[in-house]
Amino acid sequence: MADPMLASMSPDELRAAMRTLGYRTQNDLANAIGVSRSAVSLWLEGKVGVPRPVAMLLRMLIAAQRRIY
């Protein structure tokens, strides 16, 4: 079975990831990961799939945030 960390991300999952990571606006997320705000907008509207590397990065950031040291 494929690693779920490597899968793309639905618009709802992207929204949840943004909330979890504290990105309040599309611009906040775009600046943090080095893409345009319009790219984030297209992902959130479901017009373009979230690229796998971006989905993986966000999932890794969430996992790191949840880890207790």
Side-chain angles (χ1 to χ4, degrees):
M1 174 141 184
D3 184 339
M5 283 286 258
L6 301 178
S8 188
M9 189 175 258
S10 70
D12 287 341
E13 188 183 352
L14 178 58
R15 258 183 220 93
M18 285 176 67
R19 272 195 307 275
T20 301
L21 295 168
Y23 299 120
R24 294 197 173 152
T25 67
Q26 294 177 9
N27 220 33
D28 288 346
L29 177 61
N31 289 334
I33 65 173
V35 299
S36 66
R37 190 207 56 78
S38 59
V40 175
S41 175
L42 290 170
W43 301 340
L44 288 168
E45 291 167 19
K47 291 184 177 165
V48 174
V50 176
R52 283 200 188 108
V54 171
M56 198 167 130
L57 171 68
L58 294 175
R59 290 186 184 111
M60 288 167 62
L61 288 170
I62 290 168
Q65 190 181 61
R66 291 185 176 149
R67 204 165 285 134
I68 296 169
Y69 293 99

